[in-house]
Amino acid sequence: MDQISALHSQIGQMKTVKVEEFGSSLIVAPHPDDETLGCGGTVALLRKNGIPVHFLFVSDGSMSHPNSKKYPAKKLTKVREKEAKAAVLTLGGEVDHMEFLRLKDTRVPHENDNQFQETVEKVVKIIDDLQPQTVFVPWQKDPHIDHQATWKIMSEAVNQSKVKPRFIEYPIWLWELGNPEDMELLDRMEKFTVNIEDTMEMKNKALAAHTSQVTHMIDDDPEGFMLSPEVIAHFDIPRELFFEATIS
């Protein structure tokens, strides 16, 4: 068993924390559906405990089916935002607690891109306005360019913000595409889980709301993306895994 598979197999034995520790939270999703896969059960628990949760969707999600004639980019963006709203409502969230940056899917700006600082400044304002106690972001080495760019934007925004929330990371593509060399970084991070047994059903219903990503609804792009049963299986467990940098 490789290191990444071993890590996944250990989730059930890891330290479990209560969501009350997080307080008011901002869930940052590079694409609509990441919020549900990575944090859906935790979000539902936060809301069940009356804790405010806001959502920031970074990319427009328009490149999941780039060759579809039925769902060109503009239409697909609207579809994915509608799905995101349905998922958030299913998890107990509120539509007016959602913000969409609508950056181009697969082109979320990296550090040396022209849009990077402009995007950081927008996010700083969001953080300063919301004053979350915790920000949830994709894991910094998650093997997707938009996920890594999102982490960098959020990291820089928190550095520039007046607010200093906890900065907690969640994996999405680590299990399928992770590089074992990145385990050295994970070994230096605190790992913990949230028990989501009570909200698993809500999480699964929220994921189903992302119809364009979990079904063949868009059937005119053979190269289009769909979350496979194998990928979904990594998240269909009663624990959600999080990483947090340790302070030396």
Side-chain angles (χ1 to χ4, degrees):
M1 181 183 293
D2 65 36
Q3 289 175 293
I4 294 172
S5 298
L7 177 66
H8 195 278
S9 70
Q10 293 161 10
I11 291 174
Q13 288 76 52
M14 289 182 188
K15 179 177 83 171
T16 302
V17 304
K18 301 288 188 185
V19 295
E20 290 86 347
E21 293 184 23
F22 303 140
S24 61
S25 298
L26 174 63
I27 311 295
V28 182
H31 312 91
D33 72 14
D34 291 321
E35 82 297 331
T36 299
L37 283 172
C39 311
T42 300
V43 166
L45 283 172
L46 285 163
R47 296 301 301 130
K48 279 192 167 189
N49 282 275
I51 299 170
V53 182
H54 287 77
F55 301 82
L56 179 62
F57 293 92
V58 177
S59 84
D60 61 12
S62 64
M63 291 298 289
S64 66
H65 296 79
N67 303 310
S68 174
K69 298 292 190 292
K70 295 179 183 177
Y71 291 88
K74 194 180 230 181
K75 182 177 180 181
L76 184 52
T77 295
K78 290 180 180 177
V79 166
R80 297 205 66 183
E81 289 190 12
K82 184 178 178 182
E83 292 173 346
K85 290 173 183 175
V88 165
L89 288 172
T90 301
L91 295 172
E94 302 169 51
V95 170
D96 60 359
H97 284 188
M98 303 174 66
E99 183 140 2
F100 295 88
L101 292 183
R102 300 188 179 99
L103 297 170
K104 184 67 177 175
D105 190 359
T106 72
R107 296 185 201 166
V108 175
H110 284 251
E111 206 168 359
N112 298 320
D113 295 337
N114 292 335
Q115 268 188 294
F116 181 79
Q117 186 54 38
E118 175 189 339
T119 304
V120 167
E121 288 169 6
K122 285 181 183 176
V123 175
V124 168
K125 185 175 186 312
I126 291 168
I127 293 172
D128 284 345
D129 287 347
L130 295 177
Q131 299 191 17
Q133 293 168 278
T134 300
V135 172
F136 290 85
V137 299
W139 180 50
Q140 57 193 279
K141 293 289 188 181
D142 211 49
H144 188 298
I145 53 173
D146 285 347
H147 290 216
Q148 293 179 18
T150 295
W151 182 90
K152 189 63 182 175
I153 289 166
M154 296 308 303
S155 177
E156 187 60 32
V158 166
N159 284 339
Q160 294 182 23
S161 170
K162 300 170 192 169
V163 184
K164 299 303 174 191
R166 288 181 70 180
F167 200 71
I168 292 176
E169 306 177 29
Y170 61 87
I172 297 293
W173 291 107
L174 171 64
W175 313 121
E176 290 287 313
L177 304 172
N179 185 340
E181 293 173 9
D182 292 333
M183 291 298 295
E184 184 180 341
L185 170 62
L186 281 178
D187 287 342
R188 300 196 302 270
M189 300 184 80
E190 183 181 1
K191 304 171 191 66
F192 55 87
T193 66
V194 172
N195 183 331
I196 62 165
E197 289 175 324
D198 291 345
T199 54
M200 274 286 292
E201 186 177 352
M202 294 172 73
K203 176 175 180 171
N204 290 334
K205 285 181 179 177
L207 186 58
H210 290 285
T211 313
S212 67
Q213 306 302 295
V214 298
T215 74
H216 292 288
M217 180 187 97
I218 303 177
D219 58 6
D220 65 336
D221 184 357
E223 297 177 12
F225 173 81
M226 190 176 81
L227 285 167
S228 69
E230 291 77 17
V231 170
I232 293 172
H234 293 306
F235 303 93
D236 191 20
I237 58 176
R239 299 284 188 281
E240 285 178 339
L241 174 64
F242 300 102
F243 311 133
E244 188 171 18
T246 54
I247 300 173
S248 55

